[in-house]
Amino acid sequence: MEPDAVEDYRFVGARRRLIETIRAQGIEDLEILRLFDRVPRHLFVPEGVAHRAYEDSAVPIGFGQTASQPSLQAYYLQLLAPGPDDRILEIGTGSGYLTALLALLGDRVYSVERIRELSVRARRVLDQMGYKNVALMVGDGSIGWRRYAPFQVITVAAASPSIPTALVDQLDEGGRMLIPVGRREVQDLLLVRRIDGRIEEESVRDGCTFVPLLGRYGWDDGTDSGP
Ligand code: SAH
């Protein structure tokens, strides 16, 4: 599959500079660096912030959410190393940009977003660009997407007070998950792996700040007032 490259020459130079910035952060894998050249981030963020799409920073996408910093996403890809046969679960579709990067590496991407408008927008952009191996769902991703489990790769773009057990349950043998865990203001990025049936956790970066994972196994979103 080769999604159509929707090129806008205004952004070519900025995109090349972003790739250099990502490389300078220690991401040397050429396959990963090339992805950042292939996927036009300016189409995934709202038009009003398209001019900031190739800054190495989080960009607001509406509804109080942000598209994550590209170099951090490159780091995710390097640690998760999705392969062509891998089924990938993404929690927090957001702009859909990481979804596209993952779709170029893995077999299929299953991505869950709690804000319908963001999911609808991501669907439209991904469809326009010809991605066929992406399934999106609106809902609480802290409980995963059991129907398609187990997953070889799980990536969580929002911070949780603890590792959601439902996500660990849906991690395949040999599978790896990245999730920011900690307090509301600052978190550690944890790499969680299932190796020989055992779960291993490792903190790979501290001092991260992600938007909160709101839901049953995340932070209370104020909607669960049941008995
Ligand atoms: N990778 C995305 C990051 C978006 S920010 C990008 O680069 O655009 C994280 C996203 O997680 C937000 O869109 C937020 O709405 C979503 N989110 C938070 N809690 C969630 C939950 N329980 N289930 C699904 N999505 C959630």
Side-chain angles (χ1 to χ4, degrees), residues 3-203:
D4 292 335
V6 185
E7 196 47 284
D8 182 330
Y9 290 97
R10 282 178 303 166
F11 294 107
V12 172
R15 193 156 63 230
R16 287 284 149 80
R17 283 192 293 280
L18 172 62
I19 291 165
E20 281 314 310
T21 304
I22 294 171
R23 190 205 294 267
Q25 311 255 341
I27 312 293
E28 300 282 351
D29 186 326
L30 283 182
E31 193 187 4
I32 292 176
L33 292 171
R34 278 199 204 104
L35 291 180
F36 285 82
D37 206 23
R38 277 173 70 184
V39 183
R41 190 167 186 251
H42 65 274
L43 298 181
F44 286 87
V45 300
E47 238 174 285
V49 289
H51 63 287
R52 293 184 48 200
Y54 297 102
E55 290 173 10
D56 187 29
S57 59
V59 172
I61 54 174
F63 310 94
Q65 307 303 324
T66 52
S68 310
Q69 185 180 16
S71 60
L72 183 61
Q73 296 187 322
Y75 187 58
Y76 263 58
L77 296 177
Q78 179 169 275
L79 287 171
L80 293 169
D85 297 327
D86 286 349
R87 210 163 39 245
I88 302 170
L89 175 66
E90 178 186 38
I91 309 303
T93 313
S95 64
Y97 179 64
L98 183 63
T99 320
L101 299 173
L102 292 166
L104 291 172
L105 289 171
D107 176 35
R108 263 191 100 69
V109 182
Y110 299 87
S111 185
V112 187
E113 169 58 56
R114 61 183 283 280
I115 300 175
R116 176 173 301 279
E117 289 86 344
L118 290 177
S119 184
V120 167
R121 189 178 184 287
R123 175 86 274 163
R124 199 171 58 235
V125 179
L126 291 164
D127 283 349
Q128 274 165 6
M129 298 182 61
Y131 288 86
K132 304 271 185 248
N133 59 339
V134 173
L136 302 185
M137 176 170 78
V138 176
D140 177 9
S142 77
I143 61 173
W145 196 341
R146 195 165 296 283
R147 180 167 173 204
Y148 297 106
F151 301 96
Q152 289 75 50
V153 169
I154 300 180
T155 164
V156 187
S160 184
S162 59
I163 302 172
T165 49
L167 296 183
V168 175
D169 290 346
Q170 293 173 34
L171 193 61
D172 198 9
E173 171 60 34
R176 48 269 175 223
M177 162 161 75
L178 276 172
I179 178 165
V181 172
R183 291 180 287 123
R184 201 72 185 220
E185 313 76 38
V186 62
Q187 306 94 29
D188 279 0
L189 184 58
L190 299 188
L191 176 63
V192 180
R193 280 176 292 196
R194 186 186 291 280
I195 302 169
D196 299 330
R198 287 204 335 275
I199 296 298
E200 295 192 355
E201 289 171 36
E202 179 191 347
S203 172

